[in-house]
Amino acid sequence: IRRAHEILERRYAELAAAGDFTARLEQIYHAGQLDPDSAADRWMAVMDQCLAGGRFDRCRAMITLLASLPDVPASQARFIFRVARADIGLGRWAEAEALLDSLPAGSPHATALRAEVAFCRGDFTQAEDLARAALGQAAGAAREGFLFRLAEIELYRGRFGDARAHGRDGLGIAQAAGNATGISRWTNLLAEIEYFSGHVRSASDLVNQALAGLKRIPDQERDHGLLASLLQNDALVHEAAGDWQVALQRQEQALEIRREAEDARGAAQSLHGIGKA
């Protein structure tokens, strides 16, 4: 039986490499029969891709697959965190909250997900309070992700001063770590803060700075999702300057990246931008 799983895992890996998502599910299943811990890591990596791209149709399939994998107790909290995120994206907020109760007390991930539920329900004050609480519960390098989400929520609420201060803190963390992608990501967020504050020239300078930094990273290591976001923001600052031809080109470039990555949410944003231009 083990030999059969090995053969099937290799065969489905070949098909998955060609872009067959169903084959990817089969590969993870057979890998799970051989090495449960490795399969758990693969499941989470693919689930993260589905969540990042807004592919909640695929998240449903990933959740179904999870029931067929061997139990990995050490990964249960990480599974629950991702399933709850998918439930939020699917509008199943009650189901997400029920799952969160099974996470460890004081878990920053649970608090952050409750912030997301509050955000989806339009309770932005509670969302900000919970995001700040999650940041307080996090420790070490994990704090950076929670800090980023808090800054995003502050930006959404128009709290530009607080968002800018947290953005600069995050940029300092990325610079201290020598994280080139992180530096571009935080610089991009600071550009958005400046743009919505009405400081278009500053926003344009920051977008250009972030783009230049990201393009210095080798293509195979580059975060193409971040690149698409930067191209979209570059389009916005060109719109504000009335340069619609460049805005259109940037949106088209972002759309190409997002379609290749099967980023459904991002593709919709790019199509909206192309329609405006």
Side-chain angles (χ1 to χ4, degrees):
I1 294 175
R2 182 177 180 84
R3 179 59 177 163
H5 284 305
E6 289 174 348
I7 293 170
L8 289 168
E9 193 277 334
R10 284 199 297 270
R11 175 55 181 154
Y12 283 119
E14 293 171 359
L15 295 171
D20 187 329
F21 181 73
T22 301
R24 178 68 69 197
L25 299 177
E26 292 287 352
Q27 181 199 7
I28 295 171
Y29 169 76
H30 291 289
Q33 313 314 306
L34 300 167
D35 182 353
D37 290 326
S38 174
D41 290 339
R42 292 188 194 186
W43 184 91
M44 285 182 281
V46 175
M47 187 65 161
D48 285 343
Q49 291 171 359
C50 295
L51 290 165
R55 293 303 303 268
F56 297 109
D57 55 330
R58 292 185 171 183
C59 288
R60 293 179 189 272
M62 293 296 294
I63 293 168
T64 300
L65 171 63
L66 190 58
S68 301
L69 296 178
D71 288 336
V72 182
S75 296
Q76 287 305 310
R78 294 189 294 168
F79 290 151
I80 291 169
F81 174 68
R82 288 162 173 82
V83 172
R85 283 187 63 200
D87 280 335
I88 291 171
L90 290 164
R92 303 192 310 210
W93 302 332
E95 290 88 338
E97 289 180 308
L99 280 173
L100 295 179
D101 291 335
S102 61
L103 287 172
S107 163
H109 291 96
T111 305
L113 285 169
R114 289 191 173 91
E116 295 304 319
V117 173
F119 190 88
C120 290
R121 287 179 167 160
D123 190 343
F124 303 125
T125 299
Q126 184 182 25
E128 184 179 346
D129 290 344
L130 286 167
R132 186 173 290 105
L135 177 62
Q137 292 167 338
R143 283 178 54 83
E144 186 176 354
F146 296 103
L147 180 63
F148 193 92
R149 185 55 181 144
L150 175 59
E152 285 184 315
I153 292 174
E154 290 168 337
L155 167 59
Y156 187 88
R157 297 194 67 203
R159 297 167 57 85
F160 301 128
D162 290 336
R164 187 178 292 108
H166 285 133
R168 288 171 177 164
D169 288 345
L171 178 59
I173 292 171
Q175 289 171 332
N179 182 348
T181 299
I183 291 170
S184 289
R185 181 175 291 110
W186 282 105
T187 303
N188 186 37
L189 179 61
L190 286 167
E192 292 174 353
I193 294 166
E194 293 307 310
Y195 177 83
F196 288 106
S197 299
H199 307 145
V200 178
R201 178 64 64 83
S202 297
S204 180
D205 290 344
L206 287 166
V207 168
N208 288 332
Q209 181 181 326
L211 272 170
L214 195 63
K215 288 179 178 178
R216 283 194 291 270
I217 299 172
D219 185 70
Q220 65 272 19
E221 299 174 16
R222 189 177 301 149
D223 184 330
H224 289 85
L226 175 58
L227 176 59
S229 176
L230 280 162
L231 289 168
Q232 177 176 293
N233 286 338
D234 196 33
L236 289 178
V237 295
H238 279 92
E239 283 181 15
D243 193 345
W244 291 98
Q245 186 59 43
V246 174
L248 176 60
Q249 291 170 352
R250 296 293 183 270
Q251 294 286 10
E252 289 174 337
Q253 290 169 342
L255 177 61
E256 183 179 355
I257 293 169
R258 286 164 165 170
R259 279 182 167 163
E260 185 175 348
E262 298 184 324
D263 179 353
R265 182 192 296 113
Q269 292 174 345
S270 294
L271 286 168
H272 178 260
I274 287 171
K276 281 197 301 174

